[in-house]
């Protein structure tokens, strides 16, 4: 079976001779829910950004494979990185919703890779796309807020909206970078329960970076600790 994520000899530095990540090897199978834990500065967010293609690994022998395709190698992003963007959904610590737009329009952004470019630019989404967005909001318990501006929602509500966006995207892999770091305990529990439900019901591969080790033990099947 093709692995979801396969990382070999990955090294990433922002300054010369000061690697944030060094000689990392990691394999994640389809359908796994994996927690990345470690102190601030241990490289959790950097690793997620590398898998997502937001950062480029250092030159050398390092490779990143996603869904059986090599997306980065020898310090270069390859063509497959662009082709697989639709398959990788990212949930950010600060939600990354457009505050002046309705929650529904934010979630519809997840459909952009599924519609012609001109339709996306004009915001002309077909009925099936709107139904998909509403069903995604329903999954996270936010459908009644569909018409509300994102800026008027609480942090926990915005993060559930961000998860609905990757559901609408139909992502095969979800990368969640500290998704509960800025939330109150009740909202953090709800967000982690939703991610666990998506993993169990849909079989979606999920990698989530966490400071809170209790959430890692409670919700994740596997824990990877980053240190030095």
């Amino acid at each position: 079976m093709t692995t979801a994520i396969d990382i070999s000899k990955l090294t990433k530095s922002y300054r010369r001779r000061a690697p944030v990540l060094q000689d990392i090897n990691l394999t994640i199978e389809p359908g796994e829910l994996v927690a990345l834990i470690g102190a601030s500065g241990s490289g959790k967010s950097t690793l997620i950004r590398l898998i997502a293609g937001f950062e480029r690994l250092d030159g050398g022998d390092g490779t990143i494979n996603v869904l059986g395709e090599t997306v980065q190698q020898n310090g270069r992003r390859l063509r497959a990185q662009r082709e697989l963007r639709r398959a990788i959904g990212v949930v950010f610590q600060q939600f990354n919703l457009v505050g002046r737009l309705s929650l529904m329009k934010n979630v519809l952004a997840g459909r952009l890779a599924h519609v012609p470019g001109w339709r996306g630019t004009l915001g002309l989404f077909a009925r099936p796309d709107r139904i998909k967005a509403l069903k995604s909001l329903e999954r996270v318990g936010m459908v009644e807020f569909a018409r509300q501006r994102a800026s008027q929602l609480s942090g926990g509500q915005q993060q559930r909206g961000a998860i609905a966006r990757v559901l609408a995207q139909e992502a095969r892999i979800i990368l969640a970078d500290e998704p509960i770091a800025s939330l109150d305990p009740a909202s953090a529990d709800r967000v982690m329960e939703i991610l666990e439900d998506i993993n169990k019901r849909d079989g979606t591969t999920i990698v989530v970076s966490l400071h809170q080790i209790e959430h890692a033990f409670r919700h994740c099947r596997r824990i990877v600790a980053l240190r030095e």
Side-chain angles (χ1 to χ4, degrees):
M1 183 169 59
T2 302
T3 57
I5 299 166
D6 190 24
I7 293 168
S8 176
K9 299 181 180 179
L10 180 153
T11 297
K12 175 62 180 178
S13 306
Y14 292 107
R15 292 183 293 114
R16 290 187 65 185
R17 299 179 182 176
V20 177
L21 296 166
Q22 187 168 16
D23 198 26
I24 299 293
N25 298 279
L26 176 64
T27 299
I28 297 172
E29 301 296 340
E32 281 200 279
L33 173 49
V34 179
L36 301 178
I37 63 170
S40 294
S42 61
K44 301 186 302 297
S45 294
T46 297
L47 184 55
I48 282 178
R49 291 178 63 83
L50 282 161
I51 297 168
F54 299 154
E55 301 281 355
R56 190 171 60 192
L57 51 73
D58 292 354
D61 297 329
T63 61
I64 301 175
N65 291 278
V66 177
L67 299 173
E69 299 285 344
T70 302
V71 294
Q72 291 201 44
Q73 189 173 42
N74 300 326
R76 297 184 297 113
R77 295 187 186 96
L78 304 182
R79 181 177 179 179
Q81 183 90 73
R82 183 179 183 89
E83 294 173 347
L84 284 171
R85 281 180 182 171
R86 181 167 69 179
I88 302 173
V90 183
V91 178
F92 301 90
Q93 179 180 341
Q94 297 301 327
F95 327 130
N96 282 24
L97 300 182
V98 181
R100 61 184 174 80
L101 297 181
S102 70
L103 183 58
M104 178 68 169
K105 288 183 178 179
N106 274 282
V107 174
L108 279 168
R111 300 300 300 164
L112 287 173
H114 298 269
V115 302
W118 67 271
R119 279 188 171 273
T121 301
L122 297 174
L124 299 175
F125 292 94
R127 179 179 173 82
D129 295 308
R130 295 182 179 278
I131 291 173
K132 183 69 178 180
L134 286 170
K135 286 184 176 180
S136 299
L137 283 169
E138 188 175 34
R139 284 278 303 269
V140 301
M142 290 294 293
V143 71
E144 66 267 33
F145 298 97
R147 296 185 181 277
Q148 195 160 325
R149 285 177 59 164
S151 60
Q152 297 174 334
L153 301 172
S154 70
Q157 290 171 330
Q158 289 190 59
Q159 194 60 292
R160 282 190 277 156
I163 294 172
R165 181 174 57 197
V166 297
L167 283 173
Q169 182 183 335
E170 300 180 285
R172 295 171 61 186
I173 296 173
I174 295 176
L175 307 174
D177 186 14
E178 299 281 4
I180 60 174
S182 57
L183 303 182
D184 62 84
S187 296
D189 281 337
R190 184 76 182 275
V191 164
M192 288 305 300
E193 287 167 1
I194 289 169
L195 290 174
E196 186 178 13
D197 178 71
I198 293 167
N199 171 255
K200 288 180 177 177
R201 286 175 56 186
D202 302 350
T204 305
T205 305
I206 299 178
V207 181
V208 53
S209 64
L210 296 167
H211 277 306
Q212 304 89 334
I213 194 167
E214 67 275 12
H215 283 290
F217 279 113
R218 189 184 313 157
H219 298 286
C220 301
R221 303 177 192 177
R222 181 178 167 205
I223 296 172
V224 175
L226 297 178
R227 182 170 180 262
E228 296 183 352

